[in-house]
């Protein structure tokens, strides 16, 4: 007789940001993370080496409520509430302006890489109305593609590419909806167990992590491609944070403070019981 035991994972304290902020963007991994922008309207950029944060060159446009994706040395910063549709790329040292998104918005989410990204949802500027707009980036231009099924802002997203992404949570009235992007369309799948906005996410479309959110919570949920399961909470309840990394090795960054937490989970194990 055998049974599978899933590791629920746990959060531990990581190195503190040099500058406390909320509504920031992020990219990278748990041991090579990137945090940029944030409230109150800053252009600050910090790099994480798995132990501590080091300030690097600022973005060209200071902003908050922006989206980020990519890696520490090849990141994208998208939109924000200046208002701006500005997009910048980071090469590990400097930020450069590239083509803007077509729809100016803030509180949006993003997934993918610096050359194959997806930006979705958000609030329009003006009139601050939620939107379902989705745009695909090919490394040069943004193209509007099929909308989310549910218009919303202050959502979270993740995904390794612009052909397989996940959108979850969001809106002024916290939502639990989760949608899966297959490169052409969004499909609604099983909801989060706890509806919330201003949350963060990490991982890919088939193995994701959702954590934090408003009202301020430490709740963490793990996605296996079909369902969300609650796992161990963060050490500090917070909203307006950023997240990056994978389902089993994630970073929770900021959220009105300098706090950084690291989530670690081992693979599922098989145990044998002989009677």
């Amino acid at each position: 007789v055998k049974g599978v035991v899933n590791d629920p994972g746990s959060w531990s304290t990581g190195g503190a940001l040099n500058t406390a902020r909320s509504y920031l963007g992020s990219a990278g991994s748990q041991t090579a993370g990137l945090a940029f922008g944030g409230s109150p309207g800053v252009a600050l950029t910090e790099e994480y080496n798995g132990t501590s944060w080091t300030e690097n060159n600022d973005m060209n446009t200071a902003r908050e409520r922006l989206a980020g994706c990519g890696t520490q040395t090849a990141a994208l910063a998208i939109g924000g509430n200046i208002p701006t549709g500005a997009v910048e790329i980071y090469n590990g040292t400097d930020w450069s302006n590239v083509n803007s998104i077509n729809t100016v918005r803030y509180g949006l989410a993003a997934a993918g890489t610096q050359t194959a990204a997806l930006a979705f949802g958000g609030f329009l500027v003006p009139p601050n109305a939620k939107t379902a707009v989705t745009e695909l980036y090919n490394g040069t231009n943004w193209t509007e593609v099929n909308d989310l099924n549910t218009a919303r802002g202050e959502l979270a997203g993740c995904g390794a590419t612009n052909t397989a992404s996940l959108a979850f949570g969001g809106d002024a009235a916290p939502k639990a909806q989760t949608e899966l992007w297959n490169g052409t369309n969004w499909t609604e799948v099983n909801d989060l167990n706890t509806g919330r906005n201003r949350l963060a996410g990490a991982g890919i479309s088939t193995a994701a992590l959702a954590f934090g959110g408003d009202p301020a919570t430490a709740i963490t949920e793990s996605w296996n491609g079909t369902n969300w399961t609650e796992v161990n909470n963060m050490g500090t309840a917070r909203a307006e944070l950023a997240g990056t990394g994978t389902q089993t090795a994630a970073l929770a960054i900021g959220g009105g403070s300098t706090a950084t937490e690291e989530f670690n989970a081992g693979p599922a194990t098989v145990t044998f019981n002989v009677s």
Side-chain angles (χ1 to χ4, degrees):
V1 179
K2 66 179 180 180
V4 177
V5 178
N6 292 308
D7 182 351
S10 60
W11 291 96
S12 60
T13 301
L17 285 165
N18 293 285
T19 302
R21 46 202 153 130
S22 54
Y23 293 119
L24 64 165
S26 60
S29 68
Q30 188 186 78
T31 56
L34 193 69
F36 42 92
S39 177
V42 299
L44 294 171
T45 300
E46 297 188 38
E47 294 184 349
Y48 192 64
N49 63 5
T51 304
S52 59
W53 291 95
T54 302
E55 190 168 338
N56 208 340
N57 292 321
D58 289 355
M59 290 193 297
N60 294 289
T61 301
R63 46 190 149 148
E64 60 191 73
R65 298 190 183 190
L66 70 165
C69 63
T71 67
Q72 187 186 67
T73 57
L76 273 178
I78 309 162
N81 71 333
I82 298 305
T84 182
V87 177
E88 299 184 39
I89 58 172
Y90 185 70
N91 63 7
T93 304
D94 298 306
W95 291 95
S96 302
N97 292 314
V98 292
N99 287 326
S100 298
I101 47 177
N102 295 289
T103 300
V104 175
R105 50 205 154 122
Y106 67 93
L108 69 165
T113 68
Q114 190 183 71
T115 57
L118 197 71
F120 40 96
F123 293 109
L124 301 175
V125 188
N128 303 322
K130 59 191 176 184
T131 182
V133 168
T134 300
E135 297 186 43
L136 185 146
Y137 186 63
N138 64 4
T140 304
N141 297 306
W142 292 93
T143 303
E144 188 168 341
V145 288
N146 288 322
D147 288 355
L148 287 161
N149 292 287
T150 302
R152 48 194 151 144
E154 311 290 16
L155 71 164
C158 63
T161 71
N162 61 7
T163 59
S165 304
L166 199 67
F168 43 95
D171 211 345
K175 293 188 178 298
Q177 280 100 331
T178 301
E179 297 188 41
L180 181 67
W181 171 256
N182 65 3
T184 305
N185 297 303
W186 290 100
T187 302
E188 190 164 340
V189 289
N190 287 322
D191 288 355
L192 288 162
N193 293 287
T194 302
R196 45 204 152 128
N197 61 6
R198 301 171 185 169
L199 71 165
I204 59 176
S205 63
T206 55
L209 205 66
F211 42 95
D214 191 17
T217 182
I219 289 173
T220 302
E221 298 186 41
S222 181
W223 170 256
N224 65 3
T226 304
N227 296 303
W228 290 100
T229 302
E230 190 168 336
V231 291
N232 288 321
N233 288 350
M234 290 192 296
T236 302
R238 48 189 155 143
E240 304 163 7
L241 71 165
T244 194
T246 68
Q247 183 192 55
T248 57
L251 278 181
I253 310 163
S257 71
T258 60
T260 300
E261 294 186 47
E262 300 178 359
F263 181 84
N264 288 287
T269 58
V270 177
T271 60
F272 292 87
N273 299 310
V274 179
S275 58

